[in-house]
Amino acid sequence: MFIDPHAHMISRTTDDYEAMAAAGIVALIEPAFWVGQPRTFVGTYVDYLSSIIGFERFRAGQFGIRHYCTVGLNSKEANNEELAEGVMEWLPRFALKEGVVAIGEIGYDEQTALEDKYFRAQLLLAKELELPVMVHTPHRDKKRGTSRSMDVCEEMGLDPSWVVIDHNNEETVDETLDRGFWAGFSIYPSTKMGTRRMVELLKHYGSERIIVDSACDWGISEPLAVAKTAKLALENGIPEETVRKVTYANTLEVYGKSGQIHESDWLNPPAIDQRTLYEGNSILRGGREPLIEAPGSRNRDNLIIE
Amino acid sequence: MSETAVESLRQWVLRQAGEQGKWLETRLEALAAGAPESELHTVLGLAPRRLGKADLILIAEDLRQAEEALPGWRPDGWSIDGAARVLALATFRGERSFAETFKDLRRTADARELVALYRGLPLYPEPRSLAFEVGEGLRSNMIAVFEAIAHHNPYPSMHFDEHRWNHMILKALFVDSALADIVGLDERANPELGRQLLDHIHERWAAGREVSPEVWRCIGPCAIEVDAMEAFERALAGKSTERAAAALALVSNPSPLADALLATHPEAAALVAEGQLSWDTLSRHEVA
Ligand SMILES: [Zn+2]
């Protein structure tokens, strides 16, 4: 049983959902981010937020996966001031919707003044609404950008135990953990973190405040990253309890502070949900063994489409 | 809008709300007394957090009351938070038109809220002004949202024109949603729908796909007019559910031609005559 705490499912196919469910993903968190190109109207951003609290949740439910999300203005689009102002007006309306477990992913991209302005404004919002925060750390000038993100969180008076610093690597993890923040690792091919490196990190750091995610999105990425990391870690002698914490329990602990994600959501879903928005998870239902299969692999050689 | 229905809903929600009842009552009073729209957003947002998400508990007498207040309305299957949201919205008296308020809520609604918003349709003021909003809900890909409008909800039969009605029926078939739960299904049968459904049947047959037995129900009353007798003959020679459905549908048609066709299939006719068949059992059997 796994949770993927960072997956942009709006960009993924039903094959991915099917493969994730088969691999044992019971829940995931979809952080609001940019969609690969800039939005130029406030309205498209509003409709995007509406998609991730509505339609995407329904899609996931069809595959027996519980869908949660974070809402926020991402760092790239924070640079379009007109758009940013508009989004900031709408954001409080979305922040208290069902299944919104944090404000995120927010933070820096190019570390501009506008990014800084809206990062701070959203940290304030999270504090007011008593929501956790998911921080996206920049790809470029990463080490300094990550330190600065934590500086600003502290300056704005956030409790580090409510903040996940995501996309960590070997260079940033010490500081993140030392300062009391949660350290997210995105297992994303070629750019962020790989499974073998992640296993080494687990050997060294153990499980405390460490979270593994896929960050899968519209780029070449891996929706099974969490399940694959877990498998490789177990094969390399990482204790089961450590694996469970970094691929499941830690996510529940930190995002659970929102009051919007509970284990019972998938272990014991309310009847009304089962009739409407959640089909139930076949792995939980049948005690079937999770399987790691490439998305769509079961169909690829089948010429019959009915 | 039915004042009685809103009042009943209020009683059911409050009796289940326990110690949160006081909170809800205070908020409802404010909403009725011209509180700003932001107050409505707050109440809708807090409803599941305060009241939980359990099913709304209703006894037979409540359902009887519901039916009396609004024929066809069956709020069993509602949740306590959804019921409270509808109640808040039906109680709210704002400065803008109701449709504008509704639109604004719909645009920012999560999946569960959407279901609640649309389930409440027959209880809101200015029902006709919601035509566009209802269209958006019907077009939703979320089946639960579509069914919030289509099932156990008297709004469509009261307010839909023929075009919209027919498309709701067609969509229900396409998303495997039960027709038996649509209020006014028999009363609103019409030849245009009959023709569309007959085309639908031929399309399914050509593709080698199953035809929902419920389709025949909407063709039965106009079977002669839309020239459906050949299709009925084929169905009467088909699988058992198809035979049963075709037989039931033919009974609804007063024409001697329908009687005559049914008479050529005595065992199907006998099943209907014995009263063993009904649309409800046929629909549950197939859909469950
Ligand atoms: Zn991301």
Side-chain angles (χ1 to χ4, degrees), chain A residues 163-195:
Chain A
V163 180
V164 179
I165 304 294
D166 212 344
H167 317 321
N168 272 279
N169 59 26
E170 292 85 349
E171 297 297 304
T172 57
V173 56
D174 280 321
E175 187 186 340
T176 303
L177 291 175
D178 287 348
R179 294 175 74 166
F181 291 85
W182 294 80
F185 291 87
S186 302
I187 313 300
Y188 194 107
S190 312
T191 56
K192 300 188 178 85
M193 175 58 58
T195 48

PDB file of all heavy atoms in Angstrom, chain A residues 163-195:
ATOM      1  N   VAL A 163       5.734  21.965   6.861  1.00  0.00           N
ATOM      2  CA  VAL A 163       6.206  22.325   5.528  1.00  0.00           C
ATOM      3  C   VAL A 163       7.026  21.195   4.917  1.00  0.00           C
ATOM      4  O   VAL A 163       7.959  20.691   5.537  1.00  0.00           O
ATOM      5  CB  VAL A 163       7.072  23.603   5.586  1.00  0.00           C
ATOM      6  CG1 VAL A 163       7.560  23.990   4.189  1.00  0.00           C
ATOM      7  CG2 VAL A 163       6.297  24.764   6.218  1.00  0.00           C
ATOM      8  N   VAL A 164       6.647  20.790   3.705  1.00  0.00           N
ATOM      9  CA  VAL A 164       7.425  19.802   2.960  1.00  0.00           C
ATOM     10  C   VAL A 164       8.273  20.529   1.926  1.00  0.00           C
ATOM     11  O   VAL A 164       7.738  21.247   1.075  1.00  0.00           O
ATOM     12  CB  VAL A 164       6.511  18.791   2.224  1.00  0.00           C
ATOM     13  CG1 VAL A 164       7.344  17.788   1.434  1.00  0.00           C
ATOM     14  CG2 VAL A 164       5.590  18.073   3.207  1.00  0.00           C
ATOM     15  N   ILE A 165       9.581  20.376   2.017  1.00  0.00           N
ATOM     16  CA  ILE A 165      10.473  20.921   1.000  1.00  0.00           C
ATOM     17  C   ILE A 165      10.683  19.802  -0.018  1.00  0.00           C
ATOM     18  O   ILE A 165      11.249  18.760   0.313  1.00  0.00           O
ATOM     19  CB  ILE A 165      11.830  21.328   1.619  1.00  0.00           C
ATOM     20  CG1 ILE A 165      11.633  22.319   2.760  1.00  0.00           C
ATOM     21  CG2 ILE A 165      12.770  21.886   0.548  1.00  0.00           C
ATOM     22  CD1 ILE A 165      11.077  23.667   2.353  1.00  0.00           C
ATOM     23  N   ASP A 166      10.197  20.029  -1.247  1.00  0.00           N
ATOM     24  CA  ASP A 166      10.213  18.926  -2.207  1.00  0.00           C
ATOM     25  C   ASP A 166      11.369  19.042  -3.198  1.00  0.00           C
ATOM     26  O   ASP A 166      12.035  20.075  -3.275  1.00  0.00           O
ATOM     27  CB  ASP A 166       8.876  18.853  -2.948  1.00  0.00           C
ATOM     28  CG  ASP A 166       8.529  17.403  -3.311  1.00  0.00           C
ATOM     29  OD1 ASP A 166       9.424  16.537  -3.266  1.00  0.00           O
ATOM     30  OD2 ASP A 166       7.362  17.138  -3.631  1.00  0.00           O
ATOM     31  N   HIS A 167      11.566  17.981  -3.958  1.00  0.00           N
ATOM     32  CA  HIS A 167      12.639  17.872  -4.959  1.00  0.00           C
ATOM     33  C   HIS A 167      14.020  18.036  -4.314  1.00  0.00           C
ATOM     34  O   HIS A 167      14.894  18.718  -4.846  1.00  0.00           O
ATOM     35  CB  HIS A 167      12.499  18.907  -6.093  1.00  0.00           C
ATOM     36  CG  HIS A 167      11.099  19.093  -6.605  1.00  0.00           C
ATOM     37  ND1 HIS A 167      10.217  18.064  -6.778  1.00  0.00           N
ATOM     38  CD2 HIS A 167      10.433  20.216  -7.002  1.00  0.00           C
ATOM     39  CE1 HIS A 167       9.070  18.540  -7.261  1.00  0.00           C
ATOM     40  NE2 HIS A 167       9.169  19.839  -7.385  1.00  0.00           N
ATOM     41  N   ASN A 168      14.225  17.406  -3.175  1.00  0.00           N
ATOM     42  CA  ASN A 168      15.563  17.445  -2.553  1.00  0.00           C
ATOM     43  C   ASN A 168      16.543  16.566  -3.316  1.00  0.00           C
ATOM     44  O   ASN A 168      16.154  15.715  -4.118  1.00  0.00           O
ATOM     45  CB  ASN A 168      15.468  16.924  -1.113  1.00  0.00           C
ATOM     46  CG  ASN A 168      15.130  18.012  -0.118  1.00  0.00           C
ATOM     47  OD1 ASN A 168      16.012  18.766   0.298  1.00  0.00           O
ATOM     48  ND2 ASN A 168      13.867  18.125   0.231  1.00  0.00           N
ATOM     49  N   ASN A 169      17.816  16.776  -3.055  1.00  0.00           N
ATOM     50  CA  ASN A 169      18.851  15.857  -3.541  1.00  0.00           C
ATOM     51  C   ASN A 169      19.932  15.728  -2.464  1.00  0.00           C
ATOM     52  O   ASN A 169      19.770  16.239  -1.345  1.00  0.00           O
ATOM     53  CB  ASN A 169      19.422  16.322  -4.889  1.00  0.00           C
ATOM     54  CG  ASN A 169      20.038  17.707  -4.803  1.00  0.00           C
ATOM     55  OD1 ASN A 169      20.485  18.146  -3.742  1.00  0.00           O
ATOM     56  ND2 ASN A 169      20.054  18.410  -5.931  1.00  0.00           N
ATOM     57  N   GLU A 170      21.028  15.064  -2.798  1.00  0.00           N
ATOM     58  CA  GLU A 170      22.083  14.820  -1.818  1.00  0.00           C
ATOM     59  C   GLU A 170      22.635  16.127  -1.259  1.00  0.00           C
ATOM     60  O   GLU A 170      23.131  16.162  -0.126  1.00  0.00           O
ATOM     61  CB  GLU A 170      23.229  14.013  -2.452  1.00  0.00           C
ATOM     62  CG  GLU A 170      22.880  12.576  -2.809  1.00  0.00           C
ATOM     63  CD  GLU A 170      22.204  12.412  -4.176  1.00  0.00           C
ATOM     64  OE1 GLU A 170      21.795  13.436  -4.784  1.00  0.00           O
ATOM     65  OE2 GLU A 170      22.068  11.269  -4.634  1.00  0.00           O
ATOM     66  N   GLU A 171      22.556  17.181  -2.053  1.00  0.00           N
ATOM     67  CA  GLU A 171      23.156  18.457  -1.654  1.00  0.00           C
ATOM     68  C   GLU A 171      22.269  19.271  -0.714  1.00  0.00           C
ATOM     69  O   GLU A 171      22.736  20.170  -0.048  1.00  0.00           O
ATOM     70  CB  GLU A 171      23.448  19.304  -2.908  1.00  0.00           C
ATOM     71  CG  GLU A 171      24.459  18.680  -3.852  1.00  0.00           C
ATOM     72  CD  GLU A 171      25.818  18.534  -3.169  1.00  0.00           C
ATOM     73  OE1 GLU A 171      26.344  19.558  -2.698  1.00  0.00           O
ATOM     74  OE2 GLU A 171      26.323  17.386  -3.085  1.00  0.00           O
ATOM     75  N   THR A 172      20.973  19.003  -0.739  1.00  0.00           N
ATOM     76  CA  THR A 172      20.063  19.855   0.035  1.00  0.00           C
ATOM     77  C   THR A 172      19.480  19.164   1.265  1.00  0.00           C
ATOM     78  O   THR A 172      18.954  19.819   2.159  1.00  0.00           O
ATOM     79  CB  THR A 172      18.869  20.314  -0.839  1.00  0.00           C
ATOM     80  OG1 THR A 172      18.213  19.143  -1.348  1.00  0.00           O
ATOM     81  CG2 THR A 172      19.329  21.153  -2.016  1.00  0.00           C
ATOM     82  N   VAL A 173      19.581  17.831   1.285  1.00  0.00           N
ATOM     83  CA  VAL A 173      18.824  17.085   2.300  1.00  0.00           C
ATOM     84  C   VAL A 173      19.274  17.386   3.733  1.00  0.00           C
ATOM     85  O   VAL A 173      18.444  17.506   4.643  1.00  0.00           O
ATOM     86  CB  VAL A 173      18.849  15.563   2.002  1.00  0.00           C
ATOM     87  CG1 VAL A 173      20.265  15.029   1.906  1.00  0.00           C
ATOM     88  CG2 VAL A 173      18.060  14.786   3.048  1.00  0.00           C
ATOM     89  N   ASP A 174      20.590  17.538   3.943  1.00  0.00           N
ATOM     90  CA  ASP A 174      21.055  17.762   5.318  1.00  0.00           C
ATOM     91  C   ASP A 174      20.430  19.002   5.929  1.00  0.00           C
ATOM     92  O   ASP A 174      19.882  18.963   7.027  1.00  0.00           O
ATOM     93  CB  ASP A 174      22.587  17.909   5.340  1.00  0.00           C
ATOM     94  CG  ASP A 174      23.268  16.538   5.293  1.00  0.00           C
ATOM     95  OD1 ASP A 174      22.745  15.606   5.938  1.00  0.00           O
ATOM     96  OD2 ASP A 174      24.292  16.408   4.593  1.00  0.00           O
ATOM     97  N   GLU A 175      20.500  20.083   5.161  1.00  0.00           N
ATOM     98  CA  GLU A 175      19.974  21.332   5.702  1.00  0.00           C
ATOM     99  C   GLU A 175      18.461  21.223   5.939  1.00  0.00           C
ATOM    100  O   GLU A 175      17.948  21.689   6.966  1.00  0.00           O
ATOM    101  CB  GLU A 175      20.283  22.502   4.750  1.00  0.00           C
ATOM    102  CG  GLU A 175      19.898  23.834   5.377  1.00  0.00           C
ATOM    103  CD  GLU A 175      20.046  25.024   4.433  1.00  0.00           C
ATOM    104  OE1 GLU A 175      20.784  24.920   3.426  1.00  0.00           O
ATOM    105  OE2 GLU A 175      19.403  26.047   4.719  1.00  0.00           O
ATOM    106  N   THR A 176      17.760  20.615   4.981  1.00  0.00           N
ATOM    107  CA  THR A 176      16.298  20.487   5.119  1.00  0.00           C
ATOM    108  C   THR A 176      15.936  19.751   6.406  1.00  0.00           C
ATOM    109  O   THR A 176      15.085  20.201   7.188  1.00  0.00           O
ATOM    110  CB  THR A 176      15.722  19.732   3.901  1.00  0.00           C
ATOM    111  OG1 THR A 176      16.097  20.430   2.716  1.00  0.00           O
ATOM    112  CG2 THR A 176      14.210  19.643   3.979  1.00  0.00           C
ATOM    113  N   LEU A 177      16.601  18.631   6.636  1.00  0.00           N
ATOM    114  CA  LEU A 177      16.279  17.839   7.835  1.00  0.00           C
ATOM    115  C   LEU A 177      16.746  18.540   9.099  1.00  0.00           C
ATOM    116  O   LEU A 177      16.033  18.583  10.103  1.00  0.00           O
ATOM    117  CB  LEU A 177      16.898  16.434   7.727  1.00  0.00           C
ATOM    118  CG  LEU A 177      16.281  15.524   6.656  1.00  0.00           C
ATOM    119  CD1 LEU A 177      17.052  14.205   6.566  1.00  0.00           C
ATOM    120  CD2 LEU A 177      14.799  15.255   6.919  1.00  0.00           C
ATOM    121  N   ASP A 178      17.951  19.124   9.048  1.00  0.00           N
ATOM    122  CA  ASP A 178      18.484  19.799  10.239  1.00  0.00           C
ATOM    123  C   ASP A 178      17.572  20.925  10.713  1.00  0.00           C
ATOM    124  O   ASP A 178      17.446  21.173  11.905  1.00  0.00           O
ATOM    125  CB  ASP A 178      19.872  20.395   9.940  1.00  0.00           C
ATOM    126  CG  ASP A 178      20.933  19.310   9.851  1.00  0.00           C
ATOM    127  OD1 ASP A 178      20.621  18.157  10.252  1.00  0.00           O
ATOM    128  OD2 ASP A 178      22.045  19.586   9.359  1.00  0.00           O
ATOM    129  N   ARG A 179      16.955  21.602   9.743  1.00  0.00           N
ATOM    130  CA  ARG A 179      16.115  22.737  10.131  1.00  0.00           C
ATOM    131  C   ARG A 179      14.708  22.304  10.518  1.00  0.00           C
ATOM    132  O   ARG A 179      13.843  23.138  10.774  1.00  0.00           O
ATOM    133  CB  ARG A 179      16.071  23.769   9.000  1.00  0.00           C
ATOM    134  CG  ARG A 179      17.444  24.405   8.770  1.00  0.00           C
ATOM    135  CD  ARG A 179      17.468  25.332   7.579  1.00  0.00           C
ATOM    136  NE  ARG A 179      16.794  26.602   7.843  1.00  0.00           N
ATOM    137  CZ  ARG A 179      16.913  27.672   7.056  1.00  0.00           C
ATOM    138  NH1 ARG A 179      17.685  27.612   5.962  1.00  0.00           N
ATOM    139  NH2 ARG A 179      16.264  28.787   7.340  1.00  0.00           N
ATOM    140  N   GLY A 180      14.445  21.004  10.497  1.00  0.00           N
ATOM    141  CA  GLY A 180      13.155  20.509  10.992  1.00  0.00           C
ATOM    142  C   GLY A 180      12.050  20.408   9.954  1.00  0.00           C
ATOM    143  O   GLY A 180      10.894  20.156  10.298  1.00  0.00           O
ATOM    144  N   PHE A 181      12.392  20.621   8.663  1.00  0.00           N
ATOM    145  CA  PHE A 181      11.373  20.497   7.615  1.00  0.00           C
ATOM    146  C   PHE A 181      11.257  19.043   7.163  1.00  0.00           C
ATOM    147  O   PHE A 181      12.133  18.216   7.444  1.00  0.00           O
ATOM    148  CB  PHE A 181      11.769  21.361   6.397  1.00  0.00           C
ATOM    149  CG  PHE A 181      11.694  22.842   6.657  1.00  0.00           C
ATOM    150  CD1 PHE A 181      12.758  23.524   7.246  1.00  0.00           C
ATOM    151  CD2 PHE A 181      10.552  23.556   6.307  1.00  0.00           C
ATOM    152  CE1 PHE A 181      12.688  24.892   7.488  1.00  0.00           C
ATOM    153  CE2 PHE A 181      10.478  24.920   6.541  1.00  0.00           C
ATOM    154  CZ  PHE A 181      11.548  25.601   7.134  1.00  0.00           C
ATOM    155  N   TRP A 182      10.191  18.742   6.462  1.00  0.00           N
ATOM    156  CA  TRP A 182      10.045  17.442   5.813  1.00  0.00           C
ATOM    157  C   TRP A 182      10.809  17.489   4.494  1.00  0.00           C
ATOM    158  O   TRP A 182      10.768  18.512   3.797  1.00  0.00           O
ATOM    159  CB  TRP A 182       8.589  17.110   5.531  1.00  0.00           C
ATOM    160  CG  TRP A 182       7.758  16.920   6.764  1.00  0.00           C
ATOM    161  CD1 TRP A 182       7.228  17.916   7.542  1.00  0.00           C
ATOM    162  CD2 TRP A 182       7.364  15.681   7.358  1.00  0.00           C
ATOM    163  NE1 TRP A 182       6.525  17.368   8.587  1.00  0.00           N
ATOM    164  CE2 TRP A 182       6.581  15.996   8.502  1.00  0.00           C
ATOM    165  CE3 TRP A 182       7.580  14.343   7.051  1.00  0.00           C
ATOM    166  CZ2 TRP A 182       6.027  15.026   9.325  1.00  0.00           C
ATOM    167  CZ3 TRP A 182       7.019  13.368   7.861  1.00  0.00           C
ATOM    168  CH2 TRP A 182       6.262  13.711   8.996  1.00  0.00           C
ATOM    169  N   ALA A 183      11.462  16.391   4.151  1.00  0.00           N
ATOM    170  CA  ALA A 183      12.244  16.370   2.917  1.00  0.00           C
ATOM    171  C   ALA A 183      11.608  15.444   1.889  1.00  0.00           C
ATOM    172  O   ALA A 183      11.599  14.226   2.065  1.00  0.00           O
ATOM    173  CB  ALA A 183      13.675  15.914   3.211  1.00  0.00           C
ATOM    174  N   GLY A 184      11.051  16.043   0.830  1.00  0.00           N
ATOM    175  CA  GLY A 184      10.486  15.257  -0.261  1.00  0.00           C
ATOM    176  C   GLY A 184      11.561  14.956  -1.298  1.00  0.00           C
ATOM    177  O   GLY A 184      12.447  15.780  -1.543  1.00  0.00           O
ATOM    178  N   PHE A 185      11.483  13.762  -1.894  1.00  0.00           N
ATOM    179  CA  PHE A 185      12.398  13.386  -2.979  1.00  0.00           C
ATOM    180  C   PHE A 185      11.571  12.952  -4.170  1.00  0.00           C
ATOM    181  O   PHE A 185      10.752  12.037  -4.048  1.00  0.00           O
ATOM    182  CB  PHE A 185      13.326  12.245  -2.543  1.00  0.00           C
ATOM    183  CG  PHE A 185      14.327  12.659  -1.512  1.00  0.00           C
ATOM    184  CD1 PHE A 185      14.010  12.612  -0.165  1.00  0.00           C
ATOM    185  CD2 PHE A 185      15.579  13.128  -1.894  1.00  0.00           C
ATOM    186  CE1 PHE A 185      14.930  13.015   0.790  1.00  0.00           C
ATOM    187  CE2 PHE A 185      16.510  13.533  -0.940  1.00  0.00           C
ATOM    188  CZ  PHE A 185      16.184  13.468   0.406  1.00  0.00           C
ATOM    189  N   SER A 186      11.766  13.600  -5.300  1.00  0.00           N
ATOM    190  CA  SER A 186      10.998  13.272  -6.494  1.00  0.00           C
ATOM    191  C   SER A 186      11.819  12.353  -7.377  1.00  0.00           C
ATOM    192  O   SER A 186      12.867  12.743  -7.887  1.00  0.00           O
ATOM    193  CB  SER A 186      10.636  14.546  -7.252  1.00  0.00           C
ATOM    194  OG  SER A 186       9.902  15.398  -6.393  1.00  0.00           O
ATOM    195  N   ILE A 187      11.333  11.126  -7.538  1.00  0.00           N
ATOM    196  CA  ILE A 187      12.042  10.140  -8.333  1.00  0.00           C
ATOM    197  C   ILE A 187      11.641  10.368  -9.785  1.00  0.00           C
ATOM    198  O   ILE A 187      10.629   9.839 -10.256  1.00  0.00           O
ATOM    199  CB  ILE A 187      11.674   8.706  -7.876  1.00  0.00           C
ATOM    200  CG1 ILE A 187      11.742   8.592  -6.361  1.00  0.00           C
ATOM    201  CG2 ILE A 187      12.567   7.682  -8.574  1.00  0.00           C
ATOM    202  CD1 ILE A 187      13.102   8.894  -5.750  1.00  0.00           C
ATOM    203  N   TYR A 188      12.423  11.200 -10.451  1.00  0.00           N
ATOM    204  CA  TYR A 188      12.053  11.700 -11.774  1.00  0.00           C
ATOM    205  C   TYR A 188      13.250  11.494 -12.693  1.00  0.00           C
ATOM    206  O   TYR A 188      14.332  12.020 -12.432  1.00  0.00           O
ATOM    207  CB  TYR A 188      11.709  13.179 -11.656  1.00  0.00           C
ATOM    208  CG  TYR A 188      10.996  13.794 -12.834  1.00  0.00           C
ATOM    209  CD1 TYR A 188       9.637  14.109 -12.750  1.00  0.00           C
ATOM    210  CD2 TYR A 188      11.669  14.098 -14.020  1.00  0.00           C
ATOM    211  CE1 TYR A 188       8.976  14.702 -13.815  1.00  0.00           C
ATOM    212  CE2 TYR A 188      11.011  14.689 -15.080  1.00  0.00           C
ATOM    213  CZ  TYR A 188       9.664  14.988 -14.981  1.00  0.00           C
ATOM    214  OH  TYR A 188       9.006  15.580 -16.036  1.00  0.00           O
ATOM    215  N   PRO A 189      13.089  10.706 -13.752  1.00  0.00           N
ATOM    216  CA  PRO A 189      14.239  10.308 -14.570  1.00  0.00           C
ATOM    217  C   PRO A 189      15.049  11.496 -15.089  1.00  0.00           C
ATOM    218  O   PRO A 189      14.471  12.517 -15.458  1.00  0.00           O
ATOM    219  CB  PRO A 189      13.611   9.534 -15.738  1.00  0.00           C
ATOM    220  CG  PRO A 189      12.157   9.481 -15.501  1.00  0.00           C
ATOM    221  CD  PRO A 189      11.822  10.166 -14.237  1.00  0.00           C
ATOM    222  N   SER A 190      16.329  11.341 -15.114  1.00  0.00           N
ATOM    223  CA  SER A 190      17.288  12.282 -15.715  1.00  0.00           C
ATOM    224  C   SER A 190      17.479  13.606 -14.983  1.00  0.00           C
ATOM    225  O   SER A 190      18.534  14.207 -15.063  1.00  0.00           O
ATOM    226  CB  SER A 190      16.947  12.626 -17.169  1.00  0.00           C
ATOM    227  OG  SER A 190      16.695  11.440 -17.867  1.00  0.00           O
ATOM    228  N   THR A 191      16.445  14.120 -14.281  1.00  0.00           N
ATOM    229  CA  THR A 191      16.661  15.443 -13.706  1.00  0.00           C
ATOM    230  C   THR A 191      16.785  15.426 -12.186  1.00  0.00           C
ATOM    231  O   THR A 191      17.762  15.905 -11.634  1.00  0.00           O
ATOM    232  CB  THR A 191      15.535  16.423 -14.093  1.00  0.00           C
ATOM    233  OG1 THR A 191      14.290  15.865 -13.698  1.00  0.00           O
ATOM    234  CG2 THR A 191      15.527  16.679 -15.585  1.00  0.00           C
ATOM    235  N   LYS A 192      15.796  14.869 -11.480  1.00  0.00           N
ATOM    236  CA  LYS A 192      15.771  15.127 -10.037  1.00  0.00           C
ATOM    237  C   LYS A 192      16.482  14.043  -9.229  1.00  0.00           C
ATOM    238  O   LYS A 192      17.516  14.268  -8.633  1.00  0.00           O
ATOM    239  CB  LYS A 192      14.329  15.322  -9.572  1.00  0.00           C
ATOM    240  CG  LYS A 192      13.649  16.511 -10.268  1.00  0.00           C
ATOM    241  CD  LYS A 192      12.297  16.831  -9.677  1.00  0.00           C
ATOM    242  CE  LYS A 192      11.638  18.048 -10.322  1.00  0.00           C
ATOM    243  NZ  LYS A 192      10.897  17.721 -11.559  1.00  0.00           N
ATOM    244  N   MET A 193      15.939  12.856  -9.185  1.00  0.00           N
ATOM    245  CA  MET A 193      16.485  11.814  -8.304  1.00  0.00           C
ATOM    246  C   MET A 193      16.178  10.464  -8.924  1.00  0.00           C
ATOM    247  O   MET A 193      15.151  10.295  -9.563  1.00  0.00           O
ATOM    248  CB  MET A 193      15.810  11.950  -6.922  1.00  0.00           C
ATOM    249  CG  MET A 193      16.135  10.910  -5.868  1.00  0.00           C
ATOM    250  SD  MET A 193      17.878  10.748  -5.439  1.00  0.00           S
ATOM    251  CE  MET A 193      18.297  12.408  -4.885  1.00  0.00           C
ATOM    252  N   GLY A 194      17.105   9.506  -8.750  1.00  0.00           N
ATOM    253  CA  GLY A 194      16.886   8.154  -9.270  1.00  0.00           C
ATOM    254  C   GLY A 194      16.646   7.172  -8.139  1.00  0.00           C
ATOM    255  O   GLY A 194      16.887   7.480  -6.965  1.00  0.00           O
ATOM    256  N   THR A 195      16.148   5.985  -8.486  1.00  0.00           N
ATOM    257  CA  THR A 195      15.820   5.012  -7.439  1.00  0.00           C
ATOM    258  C   THR A 195      17.060   4.524  -6.698  1.00  0.00           C
ATOM    259  O   THR A 195      17.042   4.364  -5.479  1.00  0.00           O
ATOM    260  CB  THR A 195      15.075   3.785  -8.021  1.00  0.00           C
ATOM    261  OG1 THR A 195      15.770   3.333  -9.173  1.00  0.00           O
ATOM    262  CG2 THR A 195      13.654   4.125  -8.415  1.00  0.00           C
TER     263      THR A 195
END
